[in-house]
Amino acid sequence: MKKTIQSALISVFNKEGLDPIIHLLGNAGVTFISTGGTQQYIESLGYSVTAVESLTGYPAIFGGRVKTLHPAVFGGILYRRGNENDFQEASRHNIRPVDLVIVDLYPFEETLAAGADEQSIIEKIDIGGISLIRAAAKNYNHVTVVSSRNQYAYLLEVLQQTGCAPGLQHRKHLAALAFDVTSHYDTAIFNWLNSTEQVPSFKKSIQGGRTLRYGENPHQWGRFYGPLDEIFEQLSGKELSYNNLVDVDAACGLLAEFSAETAFVIIKHTNACGVAIGSSVKEAYLKALQADPVSAFGGILATNKPVDVAAAAELNKLFFEILIAPAYSPEALQMLAAKKNRILLIQKKSLKVTAQFKSLLNGVLEQQADNHTETEADLKTVTHRTPDAEEVQAMLFAARIAKHSKSNTIVLAANGQMLASGVGQTSRVDALKQAIEKARVFGLSLKGAVMASDAFFPFADCVQIAHQAGITAVIQPGGSVRDQESIDFCNTHHMAMVFTGYRHFRH
């Protein structure tokens, strides 16, 4: 059922895009109710405004903190037009109906993000505006509510189509948007306060989402929530799928470990099947590809340096789903975009993840993100032989990869190149055997290579197998009650081993 708008209460922080709405309503004879800056704005467009203060009989008080919180205002929004008792009460108290409420809340999140002081942040907690939105949304059977400047265009379209008489479907849709706005706003305030108070309550709100073709499998629906375009610009290819996004996240997370070097990573099902650093993108890619050219087929590729035509020529020989880079030369882009389904992304900024959460059982698990990356300062040599400088760099390189691989994992590396890895195994021995076999299949020598493990070795069997394969140095967290057995074997066989004290399980 349509409801013709005869009166509109407008109180907005952001007025951009509101002009045509005001003109449309004003020309339709709608009565405007407002206060403060919004009142002055409407009057500047040539329309008379009933001041909120004239309805309430009170001026704005406490520095503007209290303006609209009054029965004369909220009664006009909340009273049920078809209810005789409500009608009689409204008449008795001289409460005028309000048919449209337009509110744009104080920019709390923007103020917080700008690093403002506590008092400034507190003053951007909207009270009257959010109350107006909730009241109008609750009474959507009779009232139209606009709760954000992002809805101005939609409102204008509805008003033009309906002759300023929105239908129930429009009012109900706007009410849903309103509670989305208010719940998101309150969540932001709660999380700000809870950063110090630590109330044991899980609240997250992400506005904006996209429906994916399907979920992890075709019989599952899938959606992504978040402003993905803040991180990526898609230059070509089909729409990103659920699995694409999971692998892109893994690729970007691993790539972020290499800030100074020219690095290239190849991801398959969230695990690295190739990682290398080099003097150019081309060199880094070719080194990364050597580790497992079979798994690289259909993989997700990422580099932290611009892709030039030399690199593109090599990349173009491989079938891959996605390539991520900070930039592409015009020639490289033309070459790579020739295959229409190939997804080319520009990564505009690095990921900064501080917390992680996932649904589990009948609740949610949340944890601090694993943002610790080992440096030389973390390394404690536990063997008689101290690793040389080349081994140290190789171990730190391998440890960065192991950190981003599914447990149990073993990574074998040398000279800025992942030679092989064993991932997602139920035993560490199996992970090591898998890595050694991969290196053998792809013709990569392990003589003088290093081994990284995401967790400690419960027995000495892994260092024994590694020694037989040619491994000379080992990096691991340490912490097993039988650490000494591994240390003793390394000492006997002139291997170096360092403990980091940091475990990197990934499930």
Side-chain angles (χ1 to χ4, degrees):
M1 183 173 62
K2 290 186 176 183
K3 291 284 185 179
T4 300
I5 295 171
Q6 296 179 321
S7 62
L9 192 158
I10 305 175
S11 178
V12 297
F13 186 86
N14 192 307
K15 301 165 184 66
E16 185 178 351
L18 199 57
D19 287 24
I21 295 172
I22 299 300
H23 288 304
L24 184 61
L25 294 172
N27 293 335
V30 173
T31 298
F32 292 112
I33 305 166
S34 192
T35 186
T38 306
Q39 179 181 347
Q40 295 171 12
Y41 157 73
I42 297 172
E43 290 173 340
S44 73
L45 295 178
Y47 301 98
S48 60
V49 178
T50 299
V52 168
E53 292 83 351
S54 70
L55 293 181
T56 64
Y58 279 90
I61 56 176
F62 307 133
R65 282 188 164 198
V66 180
K67 291 182 284 191
T68 58
L69 296 169
H70 193 279
V73 175
F74 282 84
I77 297 170
L78 283 166
Y79 99 78
R80 295 157 290 188
R81 275 45 164 188
N83 185 293
E84 183 61 28
N85 288 336
D86 284 12
F87 177 77
Q88 293 296 334
E89 282 192 273
S91 299
R92 186 163 59 252
H93 297 290
N94 195 29
I95 293 174
R96 306 176 193 176
V98 176
D99 305 309
L100 170 65
V101 172
I102 303 177
V103 173
D104 182 55
L105 297 172
Y106 292 162
F108 174 82
E109 288 182 284
E110 292 88 339
T111 304
L112 181 63
D117 61 85
E118 182 176 6
Q119 192 55 45
S120 297
I121 293 170
I122 289 172
E123 290 308 317
K124 287 299 184 286
I125 297 176
D126 206 314
I127 301 301
I130 205 165
S131 301
L132 292 169
I133 290 171
R134 289 177 59 85
K138 176 177 180 177
N139 207 21
Y140 68 81
N141 278 312
H142 309 285
V143 179
T144 302
V145 60
V146 172
S147 51
S148 166
R149 61 182 179 273
N150 298 327
Q151 299 162 23
Y152 291 171
Y154 175 74
L155 174 66
L156 180 62
E157 181 182 345
V158 169
L159 294 177
Q160 290 171 335
Q161 290 177 351
T162 63
C164 296
L168 179 60
Q169 74 275 22
H170 303 123
R171 300 194 302 274
K172 191 170 185 179
H173 177 65
L174 285 164
L177 293 176
F179 283 113
D180 175 46
V181 167
T182 60
S183 62
H184 178 82
Y185 197 81
D186 284 341
T187 297
I189 297 168
F190 168 78
N191 285 328
W192 170 62
L193 289 168
N194 207 40
S195 64
T196 57
E197 301 311 306
Q198 298 299 301
V199 177
S201 180
F202 180 84
K203 286 181 172 56
K204 302 293 179 186
S205 177
I206 301 174
Q207 290 183 304
R210 61 173 71 185
T211 299
L212 306 174
R213 295 194 302 274
Y214 50 81
E216 197 163 10
N217 299 292
H219 64 278
Q220 299 169 267
W221 61 262
R223 296 191 185 98
F224 176 81
Y225 298 99
L228 197 63
D229 56 358
E230 289 184 4
I231 301 175
F232 299 110
E233 177 185 352
Q234 184 167 345
L235 302 179
S236 68
K238 58 187 178 181
E239 180 183 305
L240 287 162
S241 70
Y242 180 101
N243 292 327
N244 287 159
L245 290 167
V246 172
D247 284 337
V248 164
D249 177 73
C252 292
L254 176 54
L255 192 63
E257 298 286 347
F258 304 94
S259 56
E261 313 98 326
T262 297
F264 205 100
V265 305
I266 304 172
I267 297 292
K268 199 69 171 289
H269 296 297
T270 74
N271 290 304
C273 54
V275 184
I277 56 177
S279 60
S280 67
V281 173
K282 175 183 174 180
E283 182 189 0
Y285 163 66
L286 291 175
K287 286 172 66 178
L289 185 63
Q290 286 181 321
D292 191 347
V294 173
S295 295
F297 182 86
I300 309 301
L301 282 54
T303 182
N304 59 355
K305 302 297 182 189
V307 175
D308 57 19
V309 70
E314 291 296 334
L315 289 162
N316 216 31
K317 298 175 184 177
L318 176 72
F319 169 74
F320 60 87
E321 288 268 349
I322 300 172
L323 175 61
I324 306 163
Y328 301 83
S329 73
E331 299 82 5
L333 182 59
Q334 182 179 15
M335 182 183 296
L336 294 168
K339 295 184 179 180
K340 66 176 185 178
N341 286 332
R342 178 183 283 166
I343 299 170
L344 301 178
L345 299 176
I346 289 179
Q347 186 174 0
K348 297 189 284 187
K349 63 180 183 180
S350 60
L351 295 174
K352 289 181 172 42
V353 179
T354 57
Q356 297 169 312
F357 57 89
K358 64 180 178 179
S359 59
L360 196 73
L361 299 174
N362 61 343
V364 173
L365 272 178
E366 184 178 23
Q367 68 170 355
Q368 177 185 5
D370 182 4
N371 287 328
H372 180 80
T373 298
E374 280 71 43
T375 66
E376 287 191 49
D378 293 311
L379 307 185
K380 176 185 177 183
T381 302
V382 294
T383 51
H384 296 325
R385 185 171 81 79
T386 299
D388 62 34
E390 189 174 292
E391 287 173 325
V392 167
Q393 292 308 307
M395 287 191 293
L396 292 173
F397 173 84
R400 284 184 277 182
I401 302 168
K403 170 185 167 183
H404 290 268
S405 303
K406 292 294 176 67
S407 300
N408 290 307
T409 187
I410 292 289
V411 174
L412 309 179
N415 301 316
Q417 180 184 27
M418 185 182 87
L419 301 173
S421 68
V423 298
Q425 299 302 302
T426 52
S427 82
R428 206 155 298 282
V429 169
D430 285 345
L432 175 56
K433 288 180 177 178
Q434 181 189 63
I436 293 171
E437 177 61 14
K438 276 201 168 190
R440 184 194 67 79
V441 168
F442 296 119
L444 297 175
S445 173
L446 296 178
K447 186 176 180 180
V450 305
M451 172 172 70
S453 175
D454 61 327
F456 64 63
F457 298 116
F459 306 101
D461 46 8
C462 280
V463 291
Q464 293 168 3
I465 296 168
H467 170 68
Q468 293 168 4
I471 302 296
T472 60
V474 180
I475 182 170
Q476 60 136 319
S480 169
V481 295
R482 303 178 71 163
D483 276 341
Q484 194 60 47
E485 294 178 16
S486 295
I487 295 170
D488 290 344
F489 182 89
C490 288
N491 284 333
T492 301
H493 295 84
H494 198 58
M495 295 173 70
M497 184 158 64
V498 299
F499 287 178
T500 66
Y502 288 90
R503 189 183 72 184
H504 293 291
F505 270 166
R506 181 171 288 252
H507 295 102

